[in-house]
Amino acid sequence: AKKVAFVELKEMTINLAAAAGQERQNFLKLKIALEVSDPKLSTDIQPLVPRIEDAFQTYMRELRANEIDGSSAMYRLKEELLKRVNIAVYPAKVDAVLFKEVLLQ
């Protein structure tokens, strides 16, 4: 069995960009865990969590609710967040972004 470790991020609530003509504000509430292939990497990544959260929130504040509606949109969001987290933690490498909770309001 392959050993993996997880880095838990704190819960994030992000106000999304409003669509044209939309008056009501949409919010996205997320709980995310990062999967790494080596348990040692989790201790290397932990000090970089503020940088990771900043990268995630900066990106997601530009999203609109219709851009994250549906399973294919959530898959694209995971891929985009994975790309951004790997830039933030380089030379370490995160293998997956896992959504533990997603609420779009």
Side-chain angles (χ1 to χ4, degrees), residues 83-100:
K83 179 174 71 173
R84 291 171 188 279
V85 73
N86 278 316
I87 291 169
V89 301
Y90 183 81
K93 183 178 184 295
V94 172
D95 297 316
V97 171
L98 307 173
F99 291 134
K100 295 178 66 176

Side-chain angles (χ1 to χ4, degrees), residues 35-76:
E35 181 180 337
V36 293
S37 60
D38 181 2
K40 181 189 170 299
L41 285 175
S42 64
T43 57
D44 294 344
I45 290 173
Q46 197 62 45
L48 302 173
V49 165
R51 183 182 298 168
I52 295 166
E53 292 171 344
D54 176 68
F56 283 5
Q57 290 195 30
T58 302
Y59 169 70
M60 288 187 285
R61 283 184 51 88
E62 291 299 317
L63 296 175
R64 290 171 180 76
N66 63 345
E67 294 175 319
I68 55 174
D69 189 25
S71 61
S72 63
M74 292 304 293
Y75 179 79
R76 286 190 303 271

Side-chain angles (χ1 to χ4, degrees), residues 14-30:
I14 299 128
N15 57 327
L16 301 174
Q22 178 184 357
E23 293 185 25
R24 196 180 84 177
Q25 186 70 45
N26 289 109
F27 293 92
L28 178 63
K29 181 177 166 183
L30 290 170

